[in-house]
Structures are given as structure tokens and as C-alpha cells.
Amino acid sequence: MAEETVEIKTAPADFRFPSQNQTKHCFTRYFEYHKCLKAKGEISNECEKYAKYYRSLCPLEWIQKWNEQRDQGIFAGPL
Amino acid sequence: MMIHEFFDRFLTIAFCDAAEPWQLGFQDAATPIMQGIIDLHHDILFFLILILVFVLWMLVRALWHFNENTNPIPQRIVHGTTIEIIWTIFPSIILMFIAIPSFALLYSMDEVVVDPAVTIKAIGHQWYWTYEYSDYNRSDEQSLTFDSYMIPEDDLELGQLRLLEVDNRVVVPAQTHLRMIITSADVLHSWAVPSLGVKCDAVPGRLNQTSILIQREGVYYGQCSEICGTNHAFMPIVVEAVNFKDYGTWVSNQLCQQSN
């Protein structure tokens, strides 16, 4: 069982969402990632930081639901 | 034996980070916010006692002197401009003295922490909590996620706290800015840990953020604080603050275990 050193880092505070309700923050990071993928292509690593942010903020259940919606073409975000 | 008990009860050096039987005061603070709340409480209680004593004195003396034999002639004062001004201005001054530390604490609690080191999601279910540590995910699949159920009374070991212990604690690093994201998968719950000065509602479809900075290592107990059904009283929260290095080790171990 190899013990990888984990990097203790997380999504920084986003001043577009300064208050307690971070729902929009999670959602924004999610579709920013997918917009970035669309723009830059799946190969590039530049979009990875958005992926880290939305994974830190959004519950797994929500991510899975949105992934399914995207696959079915019914995702409500501005993609 | 009695002296031993006396020492045990009054000269203990352990912190009170869980509810105690017959407890009257706050649990010991482990975060600057909780310390601020306790200090504000002391400030307000000072004025509260002054006002209480004064009001009680007025009430008691009115009852005492209301006697046909000893005080047959009542007062017939109906106006008194000076005293009316005094008893309007004076309470406003007291309120100002109370408001200043209160607003200072309130606004400092709302300060945005620009760079938290850890984000932990607490998801309320009926009737347990799920904790997700997704900072270390490399893909959308879950990495460090676990459920936290209360240990039933029959399974408690000697020394464990009834209705407060859980099987998997929330391990966090002390002296580090944490971001807690609280939500729910079904009904309303509330993630509350008194020692940390945290109470945050878990609302389905909403992510509520709260920042914590735990100043000392220790184990902190809390309970669900929003009625959520039949086992609302049986879904406690236990936060274990460890030093930064131990936290890193724990995360690595958990990731290894979950990937195997």
C-alpha cells in the first residue's frame, strides 16, 4: 500500500460568491470546467484546476446527476 | 475518598468539549468565534444582571408598599418629563454598549477566508452524516467519503459518551482554516458543534458554507440541530482535530484503503 503524499489544498474563496450560500459557486465551477474543455479540448491540462474546484465544492451526488444530464443532453447550464 | 472526589470535580484539567450532565454554562471554546461568543455573553450578562436587579427591586418594593394600612394614600403623579427623558436615554446607552461588541463579533464571523486549506462536505441524511473530503480526487469518482453513524448504547465501551459517539469521526487538522460545506440529501438537518461555535443548517439543494479555525487538538462533540424525523436525536457529530502532519497521514491511509 503505497503512501502518496497528498497536497493539502482546496478551492479558494471566489469573490463572486462572498456569502454563505455557495450553491452557485459549485455550479459555476462545474460548467466553467466543461466550457473550458469545449474551448480548449479534452487533452489540455489547463482546465484541470476548475475540475479540482468543483470536485472540492460539489457533493458527489450532484456531480453524478449533472454528468448524467450532460450525457442525455438535458443539462441546464450554459454549455 | 471524599477529598479525592472533591479534587476530581473541581480541579480537573480536561476541557469540556461535550455536553455534561447538569451543565449550565458553555462548553470550552476551541475556535476564536466561540471565544468571541463567550466573551460577548459575559459582556451582555453584566448589563443583564444590572437591569434585572433594578427591575426586580422596583417590582418587589411596589408589592411590599402596596398595603392599605401602612400606605393608605397612593401617589398621583402622571407626568415627569425629566425622568421620562432619563429612562429613555439610559437604556439606549446600555443598548449601544451591548451593540458594539455584538456587531464586532457578527461582522468578524462573516469575514471571508480567502485561502482555506481544506474543504469538507457534510451531507445530512436520515439519520446519519456523510463526510466527503474531495480535495484529493483525481476524477469524478469518490475518493474519501464515509458515513458517520451514532454508536448505539448497547455497543458503547466503558468511558464513551452516550448518544454522542460515532463510528467514523471527522478528522481535521488543527490550526488550519477549514471550509465546511453543509447540505442535505433529504430533509432539513443542522450541523452543530458547540465547542467550535458552529451551527449551520443543512438544506437540500443548497450548499451552506462556514469557516472554522480550530485552535487546539481535541475531540469535539455536537448533535443534529434541526428536527428531521424519528432519529433526529441520534445522529451526532464528532470532530477530531489532529496536528497537520497526522492529518496528511490519515488522508493518505484513507485514500489507500478506499482504493484497495
Side-chain angles (χ1 to χ4, degrees):
Chain A
M1 226 191 320
E3 269 201 22
E4 333 119 33
T5 27
V6 281
E7 204 196 351
I8 312 281
K9 222 170 77 123
T10 189
D14 188 342
F15 279 95
R16 294 174 292 175
F17 314 100
S19 40
Q20 192 182 43
N21 188 356
Q22 296 288 294
T23 318
K24 255 303 178 49
H25 187 186
C26 139
F27 186 63
T28 304
R29 291 297 192 201
Y30 180 80
F31 74 67
E32 271 176 356
Y33 172 67
H34 286 287
K35 259 187 6 196
C36 173
L37 278 189
K38 243 179 157 174
K40 303 245 168 82
E42 304 238 349
I43 321 275
S44 91
N45 266 339
E46 295 165 31
C47 304
E48 203 45 40
K49 79 162 192 244
Y50 295 118
K52 278 180 171 280
Y53 294 166
Y54 83 71
R55 285 180 198 136
S56 282
L57 291 166
C58 306
L60 181 67
E61 220 180 70
W62 294 21
I63 297 174
Q64 287 171 340
K65 188 178 79 190
W66 291 334
N67 287 343
E68 278 170 37
Q69 287 180 347
R70 276 190 310 111
D71 291 337
Q72 294 169 13
I74 53 173
F75 182 63
L79 280 186
Chain B
M1 189 60 203
M2 265 183 66
I3 294 182
H4 177 71
E5 273 180 83
F6 172 90
F7 272 92
D8 267 355
R9 198 165 289 280
F10 292 102
L11 298 179
T12 181
I13 52 169
F15 286 105
C16 173
D17 296 327
E20 295 275 317
W22 299 99
Q23 180 177 1
L24 188 61
F26 290 111
Q27 295 178 19
D28 291 324
T31 62
I33 289 179
M34 190 57 197
Q35 193 56 57
I37 291 173
I38 292 175
D39 292 343
L40 177 66
H41 175 264
H42 293 336
D43 289 341
I44 296 179
L45 197 65
F46 171 73
F47 289 107
L48 201 149
I49 290 177
L50 283 180
I51 296 169
L52 181 71
V53 164
F54 175 70
V55 170
L56 276 178
W57 178 44
M58 291 292 114
L59 276 174
V60 168
R61 76 181 293 281
L63 291 173
W64 179 267
H65 290 301
F66 193 80
N67 186 315
E68 195 181 352
N69 300 320
T70 53
N71 293 329
I73 305 168
Q75 289 273 25
R76 283 168 184 255
I77 299 174
V78 287
H79 293 303
T81 313
T82 322
I83 192 170
E84 287 179 14
I85 292 176
I86 291 172
W87 71 34
T88 309
I89 302 291
F90 197 54
S92 329
I93 295 176
I94 293 180
L95 281 176
M96 205 181 64
F97 276 117
I98 292 175
I100 291 172
S102 177
F103 275 82
L105 178 64
L106 188 65
Y107 282 90
S108 74
M109 280 164 78
D110 258 351
E111 292 271 331
V112 178
V113 172
V114 181
D115 228 344
V118 180
T119 298
I120 302 173
K121 283 166 270 180
I123 300 164
H125 299 262
Q126 282 175 313
W127 287 279
Y128 61 97
W129 294 93
T130 302
Y131 298 104
E132 285 183 22
Y133 292 64
S134 312
D135 295 334
Y136 322 105
N137 279 17
R138 290 212 194 95
S139 69
D140 277 355
E141 272 79 62
Q142 65 192 50
S143 61
L144 223 185
T145 304
F146 54 86
D147 295 336
S148 180
Y149 281 86
M150 182 186 84
I151 296 182
E153 210 168 321
D154 295 337
D155 297 344
L156 286 174
E157 290 171 23
L158 197 61
Q160 286 191 308
L161 303 172
R162 192 180 77 93
L163 304 187
L164 287 175
E165 300 284 357
V166 297
D167 50 6
N168 299 313
R169 296 173 170 176
V170 191
V171 177
V172 298
Q175 312 275 12
T176 317
H177 284 290
L178 309 173
R179 177 206 268 128
M180 294 298 305
I181 301 271
I182 318 284
T183 185
S184 166
D186 39 38
V187 299
L188 293 180
H189 300 271
S190 185
W191 199 82
V193 184
S195 268
L196 308 182
V198 174
K199 183 174 290 177
C200 190
D201 278 2
V203 182
R206 180 181 166 116
L207 302 179
N208 276 334
Q209 170 181 277
T210 182
S211 296
I212 315 179
L213 172 68
I214 306 182
Q215 291 169 309
R216 56 181 164 88
E217 293 168 32
V219 183
Y220 308 101
Y221 294 85
Q223 293 176 290
C224 176
S225 296
E226 184 66 42
I227 186 89
C228 52
T230 185
N231 284 345
H232 156 67
F234 308 114
M235 47 181 293
I237 297 134
V238 184
V239 176
E240 185 171 340
V242 298
N243 70 53
F244 199 79
K245 212 160 132 294
D246 286 346
Y247 172 73
T249 314
W250 178 82
V251 168
S252 304
N253 287 344
Q254 294 294 316
L255 289 172
C256 278
Q257 276 178 27
Q258 296 223 359
S259 64
N260 280 0

